[in-house]
Amino acid sequence: MNNEAIAICLPSFNRNRQRFKNNLVENTVLGKASCRLFHRRRNMLLLFIFCSFLSSITVIQNAPIPLEMVDMTYTFDETTLYWPTQKKFELVVIENGTQEEGYWLQMEEYFSGIHVGTHMDAPCHFAKGRWSVDQIPLSHLTAPAAVIDITKKAEEDRDALVQVDDFEKWEMMSGQSLDGTIIMIRSGWGKRWNDKEAFIGTPDNDTTKFHYPGISKEAAQWLMDNRNVYGVGTDTLSLDNGPSQELMAHRIILDKNVYGLENVANMDMLPIYGATLYVMPMKIGNASGAPTRIIAVFPKILFTKDGTTATERSLREIIIFNK
Ligand SMILES: *[C@@H]1O[C@H](CO)[C@@H](O)[C@H](O)[C@H]1NC(C)=O
Ligand SMILES: *[C@@H]1O[C@H](CO)[C@@H](O)[C@H](O)[C@H]1NC(C)=O
Ligand SMILES: *[C@@H]1O[C@H](CO)[C@@H](O)[C@H](O)[C@H]1NC(C)=O
């Protein structure tokens, strides 16, 4: 019974929590009534046994759901990829050794453009007067992930674009609305992170030679007009695809006070639906973005559409449903 209670996937988590709470209340009411009955009969031993039983149920129901955690941020170091007009990430060691006084001291300084590595594009990056990174409400930084998988078309065309039907397909498969989610575009580009030419499409810094997938203008417009999402992340260098010069996805999405996340790591570790994201940009005053730690959390025990458990990593690529 306790295994059943624990093996709940995230979408139904809150509902089940509520059910648990109701059970607890019922148990408590039942417990009180029963305890009075027993008290009248002065049967203290039975009362004790019964109340112990009730409290053991309560403990089982409050057992924590075992969670899987995925780090969706690349380490910042000398290999970190970045938009070429930005200053690259650089760590300078100031102290790293035993001091004259006898204690150990390690200390560095870093120098970096803001739009480098795994980072947030704050809405004000491409839209005057919109939120800077420090102004984004916390409620927009913790939300369910909606993973839009375009791996197949990105394999065939490295400039592939997310279209409206990719969003509609996700809603059909998951049976959920995209409202209230953070969109994560999964193109399979994470595999290329360690190879600048493979990731960006060119070994030099010429932005006209860039090639990687992105979001079409039409899809960005549809999403902003029809759904309320908090953010849109990609596993590539940009929200727009490589050849884009007008950067319409950036302009349309950020204008709605929706933030972007770029160079997001480990997209392939997420279920299409079922993970909660914790998006934690460095809180830099008035800034157009920031390096960002992103963590995805979801239950270790997941259920697939047909009700079987999906604990294997490969199975996370499929949709996760409630039991
Ligand atoms: C500082 O020294 C430690 C121990 O020798 C080493 O592991 C670490 O990588 C050094 N840190 C930097 C930033 O160079
Ligand atoms: C690209 O630009 C960086 C500076 O951002 C520079 O260090 C690097 O040498 C350039 N690479 C090429 C191939 O021009
Ligand atoms: C942010 O902008 C406001 C208004 O322009 C200004 O008063 C404030 O000093 C700025 N803060 C920082 C950290 O630059």
Side-chain angles (χ1 to χ4, degrees), residues 124 138 141 177 213:
C124 73
L138 294 184
L141 299 176
S177 165

Side-chain angles (χ1 to χ4, degrees), residues 82 84 86 203-205:
Y82 55 98
Q86 286 277 292
D204 58 38
N205 295 326

Side-chain angles (χ1 to χ4, degrees), residues 214-248:
I215 304 159
S216 72
K217 175 185 172 184
E218 294 72 26
Q221 195 66 60
W222 180 88
L223 190 63
M224 293 305 107
D225 288 348
N226 297 288
R227 298 292 182 272
N228 288 310
V229 301
Y230 295 133
V232 180
T234 63
D235 53 8
T236 64
L237 198 64
S238 173
L239 299 179
D240 290 276
N241 74 350
S244 167
Q245 294 296 311
E246 294 197 293
L247 306 174
M248 288 312 292

